[in-house]
Amino acid sequence: VPERDRTELKRRKLLLEVTLKSYWIRKGSAFSTAVARPETELTPEMIATGSWRQLAFKPYNFSSLGLPPACGHLHPLLKVRSQLRQIFLEMG
């Protein structure tokens, strides 16, 4: 399409220009079909045999929050006290 016709069609909003991007993906030098799972724990056997030197370990995440601690329960006397208080509040 000539430039003059293209600008006229754009002005009348009858032409929409689209830019297409394409990529070529090739196998790199570190490509492998096997999935290697890193070790998560260091055992006494690994230390004794020295096999830990050749293993890949999972990096430790120092910013994770961890599991919240399990909460306890109210003391039975405090529970009775709160129930009595609620009863008296409802009575006025």
Side-chain angles (χ1 to χ4, degrees):
V1 179
E3 182 66 33
R4 187 172 59 93
D5 292 340
R6 190 174 349 147
T7 55
E8 179 64 30
L9 290 173
K10 274 190 204 178
R11 188 179 62 77
R12 294 170 56 191
K13 297 183 182 178
L14 298 173
L15 179 70
L16 177 66
E17 288 192 42
V18 177
T19 303
L20 297 176
K21 294 183 181 180
S22 62
Y23 299 96
W24 290 93
I25 300 174
R26 296 188 183 110
K27 296 178 185 177
S29 60
F31 177 79
S32 174
T33 56
V35 178
R37 295 193 59 170
E39 290 290 327
T40 55
E41 294 182 9
L42 182 63
T43 61
E45 293 82 21
M46 290 179 189
I47 295 172
T49 60
S51 62
W52 62 272
R53 291 184 182 100
Q54 288 81 27
L55 296 174
F57 286 94
K58 183 178 177 181
Y60 193 80
N61 185 2
F62 288 101
S63 62
S64 66
L65 298 176
L67 295 173
C71 295
H73 299 283
L74 283 177
H75 190 274
L77 292 177
L78 286 175
K79 194 182 286 189
V80 170
R81 188 172 106 185
S82 65
Q83 289 173 352
L84 287 174
R85 185 177 193 177
Q86 186 63 35
I87 291 170
F88 285 127
L89 285 174
E90 288 174 1
M91 289 172 56

